[in-house]
Amino acid sequence: MDKGKPIVAVSRGSSRYEAVKKALELIHDDIARSIKGKRRILIKPNFVSDSVQLAATHVDAVKALLDIIVPLATGEIIIGEGSYGDTFKGYRNFGYMDLKSEYGVELLDLNSDEYVEVNVFDGRFREFPIRVSKTVYESDYRISAAVMKTHDFVIATLSIKNMVVGSIVKPYKGRIHQGYPAINLNIYKIAKFIPVHLAVVDAFKAMEGDGPVWGSEVSMGVALAGLDPVAVDAVAAYMMGFNPMDIGYIYYCYRFGLGEADIGNVRVVGEDIEALKRKFKPHRTVNRQLNWRIPQGLLSRLNLDP
């Protein structure tokens, strides 16, 4: 195998904790090298809902992550999320409050954080600013702890989108939704501004159909992890039965150099993804969602820097 290829670990487990921890252990040395000397480590779970557990990152996935990260970290560790609902209600409902005493981490509501501004596009590709959590921006090691789910705007939501949207401060979250072409470019622009350093996708219980909140459970029993979030999301999308290049923000992140989305150029360790692959039922609007591509001439004229 080409050692220059990004590595994506895929593991199975009898429990969510076991699946996530095994995936992280497969790349333990890479994580140790990448996190060495970092002063502020942010773990970003997904609470698109503050009450629907299937739609949110389970605390057991975060515990597995902390059991790997805490012995390696020398800086502070923050768990930060900006829910579409009430972030601290999510922390309470999903069992996160005890993490403060168990692991010595801080819990932060990104919606109430100070902010920095980044430019995104409206539906006519004119730039305007939105606000992103200053803590996320200033963290020098960002971990996305996402859930494998279908989505109502961008086909699938995985590690990159989790970091991007949850980091946007209310009431600005909805402002990236400027139609299918613009939202995919906007996710890329923000992903470049606050890149993920370690991507974890919990697919122990994934979601298909009307995600990211009201879909149906898919018992996959697996987890994915890697230092290249584009590669992790591409492998996850492939395992869901999607072509990663049909997902706009994955395509843009790949095309403009944020990571690798060609499955043939990714080194998968652990489980055989062909054996685990299944066809997820997409969101009912998937045919409209596929209309994200814009003419090359227009794309070449746009400012794609954050």
Side-chain angles (χ1 to χ4, degrees):
M1 293 183 182
D2 183 353
K3 293 184 179 180
K5 294 180 177 180
I7 296 172
V8 174
V10 180
S11 62
R12 299 173 68 182
S14 59
S15 68
R16 175 181 280 104
Y17 176 91
E18 180 186 9
V20 173
K21 192 172 184 187
K22 283 171 67 176
L24 294 166
E25 286 172 340
L26 285 169
I27 56 169
H28 182 275
D29 290 349
D30 293 335
I31 296 171
R33 282 192 294 271
S34 66
I35 205 170
K36 185 177 181 180
K38 302 303 183 183
R39 56 179 179 76
R40 178 184 284 175
I41 299 156
L42 174 86
I43 298 175
K44 165 66 178 65
N46 182 320
F47 293 173
V48 64
S49 168
D50 59 24
S51 57
V52 179
Q53 178 62 85
L54 185 63
T57 304
H58 199 285
V59 70
D60 286 351
V62 176
K63 286 181 177 179
L65 185 50
L66 286 167
D67 283 341
I68 295 293
I69 293 300
V70 168
L72 301 175
T74 54
E76 64 174 330
I77 300 176
I78 298 169
I79 296 175
E81 168 60 325
S83 174
Y84 267 104
D86 182 323
T87 302
F88 267 88
K89 180 181 176 183
Y91 285 144
R92 291 189 294 271
N93 284 344
F94 302 137
Y96 278 64
M97 299 304 291
D98 290 342
L99 298 179
K100 295 165 65 176
S101 56
E102 287 182 37
Y103 294 95
V105 298
E106 179 185 351
L107 299 179
L108 179 65
D109 180 1
L110 303 181
N111 288 325
S112 61
D113 195 19
E114 296 181 39
Y115 63 86
V116 293
E117 290 190 337
V118 57
N119 284 334
V120 296
F121 297 116
D122 67 13
R124 296 174 63 184
F125 302 103
R126 298 171 301 189
E127 289 186 276
F128 70 97
I130 62 169
R131 297 175 178 179
V132 170
S133 159
K134 187 176 182 181
T135 298
V136 176
Y137 175 68
E138 291 184 347
S139 295
D140 53 357
Y141 199 84
R142 303 180 195 91
I143 303 171
S144 179
V147 184
M148 180 185 282
K149 298 185 290 185
T150 52
H151 196 265
D152 57 353
F153 266 84
V154 292
I155 302 173
T157 175
L158 300 158
S159 74
I160 294 169
K161 186 174 181 298
N162 171 49
M163 181 64 70
V164 165
V165 180
S167 300
I168 301 171
V169 175
K170 281 185 178 179
Y172 288 80
K173 293 185 193 299
R175 299 185 190 182
I176 68 165
H177 290 266
Q178 300 283 336
Y180 301 121
I183 189 175
N184 283 283
L185 280 174
N186 289 341
I187 292 171
Y188 156 71
K189 288 192 73 169
I190 301 171
K192 185 176 181 181
F193 188 66
I194 47 169
V196 173
H197 300 99
L198 172 60
V200 178
V201 175
D202 173 12
F204 190 77
K205 290 184 178 179
M207 181 185 289
E208 67 178 0
D210 290 342
V213 179
W214 306 115
S216 303
E217 180 180 313
V218 182
S219 294
M220 296 283 282
V222 303
L224 299 85
L227 302 185
D228 180 336
V230 184
V232 171
D233 285 4
V235 171
Y238 180 80
M239 291 174 66
M240 298 169 78
F242 299 121
N243 179 350
M245 299 300 184
D246 284 341
I247 299 174
Y249 67 91
I250 293 179
Y251 168 80
Y252 288 130
C253 287
Y254 165 65
R255 176 170 175 178
F256 298 118
L258 296 191
E260 180 60 71
D262 183 342
I263 301 296
N265 290 328
V266 175
R267 180 184 171 199
V268 177
V269 299
E271 298 293 329
D272 177 6
I273 60 173
E274 296 297 338
L276 296 173
K277 181 181 178 182
R278 59 166 294 167
K279 188 168 180 59
F280 274 48
K281 178 183 177 182
H283 192 276
R284 67 186 76 181
T285 63
V286 66
N287 288 334
R288 294 201 298 273
Q289 294 181 55
L290 286 165
N291 294 321
W292 54 265
R293 292 174 177 82
I294 66 174
Q296 179 60 42
L298 173 59
L299 185 63
S300 65
R301 294 195 299 271
L302 297 178
N303 175 21
L304 296 179
D305 289 322

CSV table of all heavy atoms in Angstrom, one decimal, residues 8 10-11 148 203 220 222-224 232-242 244 263 268 271-274 276-280:
chain,number,residue,atom,x,y,z
A,8,VAL,N,-7.9,6.0,6.6
A,8,VAL,CA,-9.2,6.0,7.3
A,8,VAL,C,-9.4,4.6,8.0
A,8,VAL,O,-9.3,3.6,7.3
A,8,VAL,CB,-10.4,6.2,6.3
A,8,VAL,CG1,-11.7,6.1,7.0
A,8,VAL,CG2,-10.2,7.6,5.6
A,10,VAL,N,-11.6,2.0,9.9
A,10,VAL,CA,-13.0,1.5,9.9
A,10,VAL,C,-13.1,0.3,10.9
A,10,VAL,O,-12.4,-0.7,10.6
A,10,VAL,CB,-13.6,1.2,8.6
A,10,VAL,CG1,-15.0,0.7,8.7
A,10,VAL,CG2,-13.5,2.3,7.6
A,11,SER,N,-13.9,0.4,11.9
A,11,SER,CA,-13.9,-0.7,12.9
A,11,SER,C,-15.4,-1.1,13.2
A,11,SER,O,-16.3,-0.3,13.1
A,11,SER,CB,-13.2,-0.3,14.2
A,11,SER,OG,-13.8,0.8,14.7
A,148,MET,N,-23.3,9.4,11.3
A,148,MET,CA,-23.6,9.1,9.9
A,148,MET,C,-25.1,9.3,9.7
A,148,MET,O,-25.9,8.5,10.2
A,148,MET,CB,-23.1,7.7,9.6
A,148,MET,CG,-23.4,7.3,8.1
A,148,MET,SD,-22.9,5.6,7.8
A,148,MET,CE,-21.2,5.7,7.6
A,203,ALA,N,-21.1,5.4,13.3
A,203,ALA,CA,-22.1,4.8,12.5
A,203,ALA,C,-22.6,3.5,13.2
A,203,ALA,O,-23.1,2.6,12.5
A,203,ALA,CB,-21.6,4.5,11.1
A,220,MET,N,-25.5,-0.1,11.8
A,220,MET,CA,-24.3,-0.4,11.0
A,220,MET,C,-23.3,-1.1,12.0
A,220,MET,O,-22.5,-1.9,11.5
A,220,MET,CB,-23.7,0.8,10.5
A,220,MET,CG,-24.5,1.5,9.4
A,220,MET,SD,-24.4,0.7,7.8
A,220,MET,CE,-22.8,1.2,7.2
A,222,VAL,N,-20.6,0.2,13.2
A,222,VAL,CA,-19.2,0.6,12.9
A,222,VAL,C,-18.9,2.0,13.3
A,222,VAL,O,-19.8,2.8,13.6
A,222,VAL,CB,-19.0,0.4,11.4
A,222,VAL,CG1,-19.3,-1.0,10.9
A,222,VAL,CG2,-19.8,1.4,10.5
A,223,ALA,N,-17.6,2.3,13.2
A,223,ALA,CA,-17.1,3.7,13.4
A,223,ALA,C,-16.0,3.9,12.4
A,223,ALA,O,-15.3,3.0,12.0
A,223,ALA,CB,-16.7,4.0,14.8
A,224,LEU,N,-15.8,5.2,12.1
A,224,LEU,CA,-14.7,5.6,11.2
A,224,LEU,C,-13.9,6.7,11.8
A,224,LEU,O,-14.4,7.5,12.6
A,224,LEU,CB,-15.2,6.1,9.8
A,224,LEU,CG,-16.0,5.2,8.9
A,224,LEU,CD1,-17.5,5.3,9.3
A,224,LEU,CD2,-15.9,5.6,7.5
A,232,VAL,N,-12.3,10.7,5.3
A,232,VAL,CA,-13.2,10.0,6.2
A,232,VAL,C,-14.7,10.2,5.7
A,232,VAL,O,-15.4,9.2,5.6
A,232,VAL,CB,-13.1,10.6,7.6
A,232,VAL,CG1,-14.2,10.0,8.5
A,232,VAL,CG2,-11.7,10.2,8.2
A,233,ASP,N,-15.0,11.4,5.3
A,233,ASP,CA,-16.4,11.6,4.8
A,233,ASP,C,-16.6,10.9,3.5
A,233,ASP,O,-17.7,10.4,3.3
A,233,ASP,CB,-16.7,13.1,4.7
A,233,ASP,CG,-16.9,13.8,6.1
A,233,ASP,OD1,-16.7,13.1,7.1
A,233,ASP,OD2,-17.2,15.0,6.1
A,234,ALA,N,-15.6,10.9,2.7
A,234,ALA,CA,-15.8,10.2,1.4
A,234,ALA,C,-16.0,8.7,1.6
A,234,ALA,O,-16.9,8.1,0.9
A,234,ALA,CB,-14.6,10.4,0.5
A,235,VAL,N,-15.2,8.1,2.5
A,235,VAL,CA,-15.4,6.7,2.8
A,235,VAL,C,-16.8,6.4,3.4
A,235,VAL,O,-17.5,5.5,3.1
A,235,VAL,CB,-14.3,6.1,3.7
A,235,VAL,CG1,-14.6,4.7,4.1
A,235,VAL,CG2,-12.9,6.2,2.9
A,236,ALA,N,-17.2,7.3,4.3
A,236,ALA,CA,-18.5,7.2,5.0
A,236,ALA,C,-19.6,7.3,4.0
A,236,ALA,O,-20.5,6.5,3.9
A,236,ALA,CB,-18.6,8.2,6.1
A,237,ALA,N,-19.5,8.3,3.1
A,237,ALA,CA,-20.5,8.4,2.0
A,237,ALA,C,-20.6,7.2,1.1
A,237,ALA,O,-21.7,6.7,0.7
A,237,ALA,CB,-20.3,9.7,1.2
A,238,TYR,N,-19.4,6.7,0.8
A,238,TYR,CA,-19.4,5.5,-0.1
A,238,TYR,C,-20.0,4.3,0.6
A,238,TYR,O,-20.8,3.5,0.0
A,238,TYR,CB,-17.9,5.2,-0.4
A,238,TYR,CG,-17.7,3.9,-1.2
A,238,TYR,CD1,-17.8,4.0,-2.6
A,238,TYR,CD2,-17.3,2.7,-0.6
A,238,TYR,CE1,-17.6,2.8,-3.4
A,238,TYR,CE2,-17.1,1.6,-1.4
A,238,TYR,CZ,-17.3,1.6,-2.8
A,238,TYR,OH,-17.1,0.5,-3.5
A,239,MET,N,-19.8,4.2,1.9
A,239,MET,CA,-20.4,3.1,2.7
A,239,MET,C,-21.9,3.2,2.8
A,239,MET,O,-22.6,2.2,3.0
A,239,MET,CB,-19.8,3.0,4.1
A,239,MET,CG,-18.3,2.5,4.1
A,239,MET,SD,-17.6,2.6,5.8
A,239,MET,CE,-18.5,1.4,6.6
A,240,MET,N,-22.4,4.5,2.6
A,240,MET,CA,-23.9,4.7,2.6
A,240,MET,C,-24.5,4.5,1.2
A,240,MET,O,-25.7,4.6,1.1
A,240,MET,CB,-24.1,6.2,3.0
A,240,MET,CG,-23.7,6.5,4.5
A,240,MET,SD,-23.7,8.3,4.8
A,240,MET,CE,-25.5,8.5,5.1
A,241,GLY,N,-23.6,4.1,0.3
A,241,GLY,CA,-24.1,3.9,-1.1
A,241,GLY,C,-24.1,5.1,-2.0
A,241,GLY,O,-24.7,5.1,-3.1
A,242,PHE,N,-23.5,6.2,-1.5
A,242,PHE,CA,-23.4,7.4,-2.3
A,242,PHE,C,-22.1,7.5,-3.0
A,242,PHE,O,-21.1,7.0,-2.5
A,242,PHE,CB,-23.7,8.7,-1.5
A,242,PHE,CG,-25.0,8.7,-0.8
A,242,PHE,CD1,-25.0,8.8,0.6
A,242,PHE,CD2,-26.2,8.7,-1.5
A,242,PHE,CE1,-26.3,8.8,1.3
A,242,PHE,CE2,-27.4,8.7,-0.8
A,242,PHE,CZ,-27.5,8.8,0.6
A,244,PRO,N,-19.2,9.8,-3.4
A,244,PRO,CA,-18.7,11.0,-2.7
A,244,PRO,C,-18.7,12.3,-3.6
A,244,PRO,O,-18.9,13.4,-3.1
A,244,PRO,CB,-17.3,10.7,-2.2
A,244,PRO,CG,-17.3,9.2,-2.1
A,244,PRO,CD,-18.2,8.7,-3.3
A,263,ILE,N,-11.8,7.4,-3.5
A,263,ILE,CA,-11.6,6.3,-2.6
A,263,ILE,C,-10.4,5.4,-3.0
A,263,ILE,O,-9.8,4.8,-2.1
A,263,ILE,CB,-12.9,5.4,-2.7
A,263,ILE,CG1,-14.2,6.2,-2.2
A,263,ILE,CG2,-12.8,4.1,-1.8
A,263,ILE,CD1,-14.1,6.6,-0.8
A,268,VAL,N,-7.7,2.4,3.5
A,268,VAL,CA,-8.6,2.0,4.6
A,268,VAL,C,-8.0,0.8,5.4
A,268,VAL,O,-7.6,-0.2,4.8
A,268,VAL,CB,-10.0,1.5,3.9
A,268,VAL,CG1,-10.9,1.0,5.1
A,268,VAL,CG2,-10.6,2.6,3.2
A,271,GLU,N,-11.7,-2.8,8.9
A,271,GLU,CA,-12.7,-3.6,8.2
A,271,GLU,C,-12.7,-3.4,6.7
A,271,GLU,O,-12.3,-2.4,6.2
A,271,GLU,CB,-14.1,-3.3,8.8
A,271,GLU,CG,-14.2,-3.6,10.3
A,271,GLU,CD,-14.2,-5.1,10.6
A,271,GLU,OE1,-14.6,-5.9,9.8
A,271,GLU,OE2,-13.7,-5.4,11.7
A,272,ASP,N,-13.3,-4.4,6.0
A,272,ASP,CA,-13.5,-4.3,4.6
A,272,ASP,C,-14.8,-3.5,4.3
A,272,ASP,O,-15.9,-3.9,4.6
A,272,ASP,CB,-13.7,-5.7,4.0
A,272,ASP,CG,-14.0,-5.8,2.5
A,272,ASP,OD1,-14.0,-4.7,1.9
A,272,ASP,OD2,-14.3,-6.9,2.0
A,273,ILE,N,-14.6,-2.3,3.7
A,273,ILE,CA,-15.8,-1.4,3.5
A,273,ILE,C,-16.7,-2.0,2.5
A,273,ILE,O,-17.9,-1.7,2.5
A,273,ILE,CB,-15.4,0.0,3.2
A,273,ILE,CG1,-14.5,0.0,1.9
A,273,ILE,CG2,-14.6,0.6,4.3
A,273,ILE,CD1,-14.3,1.5,1.4
A,274,GLU,N,-16.2,-2.8,1.6
A,274,GLU,CA,-17.2,-3.4,0.6
A,274,GLU,C,-18.1,-4.4,1.3
A,274,GLU,O,-19.3,-4.5,0.9
A,274,GLU,CB,-16.4,-4.2,-0.5
A,274,GLU,CG,-15.5,-3.3,-1.3
A,274,GLU,CD,-16.2,-2.3,-2.1
A,274,GLU,OE1,-17.4,-2.5,-2.4
A,274,GLU,OE2,-15.6,-1.3,-2.5
A,276,LEU,N,-19.2,-4.0,4.3
A,276,LEU,CA,-20.0,-3.2,5.2
A,276,LEU,C,-21.0,-2.3,4.5
A,276,LEU,O,-21.9,-1.8,5.0
A,276,LEU,CB,-19.2,-2.4,6.2
A,276,LEU,CG,-18.3,-3.3,7.2
A,276,LEU,CD1,-17.4,-2.3,8.0
A,276,LEU,CD2,-19.2,-4.1,8.1
A,277,LYS,N,-20.6,-2.0,3.2
A,277,LYS,CA,-21.4,-1.0,2.5
A,277,LYS,C,-22.9,-1.5,2.3
A,277,LYS,O,-23.2,-2.6,2.1
A,277,LYS,CB,-20.8,-0.9,1.1
A,277,LYS,CG,-21.4,0.1,0.1
A,277,LYS,CD,-20.7,0.1,-1.2
A,277,LYS,CE,-21.4,1.0,-2.2
A,277,LYS,NZ,-20.7,1.0,-3.5
A,278,ARG,N,-23.8,-0.5,2.4
A,278,ARG,CA,-25.2,-0.7,2.1
A,278,ARG,C,-25.8,0.5,1.5
A,278,ARG,O,-25.2,1.6,1.6
A,278,ARG,CB,-25.9,-1.1,3.4
A,278,ARG,CG,-25.9,-0.1,4.5
A,278,ARG,CD,-26.9,-0.4,5.6
A,278,ARG,NE,-28.2,-0.3,5.1
A,278,ARG,CZ,-29.3,-0.7,5.7
A,278,ARG,NH1,-29.2,-1.4,6.9
A,278,ARG,NH2,-30.5,-0.6,5.2
A,279,LYS,N,-26.9,0.4,0.9
A,279,LYS,CA,-27.5,1.5,0.2
A,279,LYS,C,-28.5,2.2,1.2
A,279,LYS,O,-29.6,1.6,1.5
A,279,LYS,CB,-28.2,1.0,-1.1
A,279,LYS,CG,-28.8,2.2,-1.9
A,279,LYS,CD,-29.2,1.8,-3.3
A,279,LYS,CE,-29.7,2.9,-4.1
A,279,LYS,NZ,-28.7,4.0,-4.3
A,280,PHE,N,-28.2,3.3,1.6
A,280,PHE,CA,-29.0,4.1,2.5
A,280,PHE,C,-30.2,4.7,1.7
A,280,PHE,O,-30.0,5.1,0.5
A,280,PHE,CB,-28.3,5.3,3.2
A,280,PHE,CG,-27.6,4.9,4.4
A,280,PHE,CD1,-26.8,3.8,4.5
A,280,PHE,CD2,-27.7,5.7,5.6
A,280,PHE,CE1,-26.1,3.4,5.7
A,280,PHE,CE2,-27.0,5.4,6.7
A,280,PHE,CZ,-26.3,4.2,6.8
